Amino acid sequence: MKYSFDEKVDRIGSNCLKWDLINRTYNDSEIIPLWVADMDFKVPEEIGDAIRKRLEHPIFGYSLTPPSYYKAAINWFDKRFQWKVEKEWMKFAPGVVPGLKTIVAAYTKPGDEIIIQTPVYHPFYSIIKNNGCQVVENTLTCKDGRYEMDFDNLEKIITKKTKMIILCSPHNPVGRVWTVEELKMVGEICIKNNVLVVVDEIHADIVYKPNIHTVFASINEEFANNSIICTAPNKTFNIAGFKTANIIIKNEKLRNQYILQMEKDCIEGATTLGAVAQEAAYTSGEEWYQGLMEYLAGNIDFTLEFFDKRIPKIKIRKPEGTYLLWLDCSGLNMKPEELSNFFLKKCKVWLNDGSMFGHDGAMFQRMNIGTSRVVLQEALERIEREVNKL
């Protein structure tokens, strides 16, 4: 394996949101950031090589998205998920979140209801509200630390005003990888009630054995024609700064509605270097990706063992997907508003406050373990020291 993920990369001074925001916000360089879903690993050499080659040409004017961009993604989806995608189905978005904004604007009107499964990725809330729609919560149920969908509640909350459900698959922040059976039940309920299924699958590649990610649209033809799949190489290859995502829509009528909204939002295609980065990642990133998955799995095992043996007051269930851990901090006997200050100011570890994912996440914190083992260990030891003082 030619790639090493143990290297501690200094990102300070690179205008890095994850690390440079610390001093700008808190003026405290000692804080370790384990919050935003951004990894601290060098990207595959092949991505850097492809970008350097493009930089040899001295002009960066308006660009076309090359056919090879689509071919690379289509081959990746086929190999990884046995999902057959056609070039015409793929439309651009400058990130999954902007893509979701365009989707909500394209298929709903103010006052419509959109279902989300809480606790869930926090931009879902603002995207819905900012488009004048109503958030309807289908809260996940938690049994022995494992989250499940509440299908009875899902059927009950659908009304004539319900136009869409946004699924997070794999789920951020709880780490579930939904089974085919679970996705089928959601899909059938939505077909029956004429509810469009929009799926954020940005973490689809980050799934740990024996779990298997199933693309919602790959289950059957009916689901494919009643869904929109949002994908990106950003989480997998740590290239979110290129602002590239793929919105995949098989249904031609739905696709044309998205294209019309793209025109209204003045969205065109991938940036020159964004297209190069995605193509290189999907074409040449396999070896790096396999090494990444092995290292992330090791980080998860290391972290879970550390908490279990040395910080048992904080409970974590092993995630099935993503590089995000959902920390149950109810054993610390703190009020929700005290948790963030405890981790940030006492432990000097920056996590995501669970309440941002929904009211049912109030006693939780989200931890990103996508960093070198030495950084992760230092953060965990800081938490251990402060918890032991309580």
Side-chain angles (χ1 to χ4, degrees), residues 219-239:
I219 295 174
N220 60 46
E221 197 75 8
E222 195 171 24
F223 287 7
N225 280 304
N226 189 51
S227 64
I228 297 172
I229 308 300
C230 305
T231 71
N234 302 342
K235 302 302 180 188
T236 310
F237 294 99
N238 211 32
I239 54 174

Side-chain angles (χ1 to χ4, degrees), residues 101-171:
K101 180 271 172 192
T102 301
I103 288 167
V104 172
Y107 305 107
T108 68
K109 62 181 185 299
D112 285 346
E113 297 172 347
I114 299 176
I115 296 172
I116 57 176
Q117 296 180 313
T118 58
V120 74
Y121 185 46
H122 55 94
F124 288 5
Y125 294 90
S126 57
I127 289 167
I128 295 168
K129 293 176 182 177
N130 290 342
N131 278 277
C133 294
Q134 303 297 313
V135 172
V136 178
E137 297 186 20
N138 174 222
T139 303
L140 300 175
T141 60
C142 187
K143 299 178 180 179
D144 298 323
R146 187 175 192 266
Y147 285 84
E148 298 178 356
M149 296 187 192
D150 186 340
F151 299 107
D152 291 337
N153 174 259
L154 177 59
E155 289 201 272
K156 290 177 182 176
I157 61 177
I158 293 175
T159 72
K160 292 181 180 179
K161 296 172 65 177
T162 308
K163 304 301 179 184
M164 181 183 296
I165 182 171
I166 303 178
L167 298 182
C168 200
S169 177
H171 193 282

Side-chain angles (χ1 to χ4, degrees), residues 44-73:
E45 292 175 2
E46 291 82 359
I47 294 179
D49 291 343
I51 290 171
R52 282 186 287 271
K53 183 177 180 180
R54 175 60 184 87
L55 290 175
E56 291 175 359
H57 192 290
I59 298 176
F60 302 93
Y62 296 114
S63 60
L64 296 170
T65 304
S68 52
Y69 168 97
Y70 298 99
K71 182 179 179 181

Side-chain angles (χ1 to χ4, degrees), residues 183-194:
L183 293 173
K184 281 182 177 179
M185 290 184 72
V186 172
E188 289 163 1
I189 290 170
C190 291
I191 290 288
K192 183 173 68 174
N193 291 280
N194 196 30

Side-chain angles (χ1 to χ4, degrees), residues 37-102:
D38 172 325
M39 297 185 290
D40 293 325
F41 307 127
K42 291 181 179 179
V43 301
E45 292 175 2
E46 291 82 359
I47 294 179
D49 291 343
I51 290 171
R52 282 186 287 271
K53 183 177 180 180
R54 175 60 184 87
L55 290 175
E56 291 175 359
H57 192 290
I59 298 176
F60 302 93
Y62 296 114
S63 60
L64 296 170
T65 304
S68 52
Y69 168 97
Y70 298 99
K71 182 179 179 181
I74 289 168
N75 288 344
W76 183 268
F77 301 146
D78 189 14
K79 180 179 181 180
R80 192 71 48 215
F81 312 114
Q82 295 74 55
W83 181 34
K84 307 292 184 182
V85 173
E86 296 182 11
K87 174 180 176 294
E88 291 72 23
W89 304 353
M90 293 178 59
K91 298 303 167 188
F92 175 76
V96 166
V97 171
L100 288 171
K101 180 271 172 192
T102 301

Side-chain angles (χ1 to χ4, degrees), residues 302-314:
F302 173 78
T303 304
L304 265 63
E305 183 178 4
F306 195 103
F307 274 104
D308 183 55
K309 292 183 177 179
R310 298 168 63 172
I311 323 175
K313 289 182 180 179
I314 297 176

Side-chain angles (χ1 to χ4, degrees), residues 14-15 84 114 128 148 260 292 299 305 318 326 343-344 358 370 378 387:
S14 65
N15 290 317
K84 307 292 184 182
I114 299 176
I128 295 168
E148 298 178 356
L260 178 60
L292 170 73
N299 270 2
E305 183 178 4
K318 188 172 185 177
W326 190 230
F343 285 102
L344 188 65
E378 171 61 24
V387 169

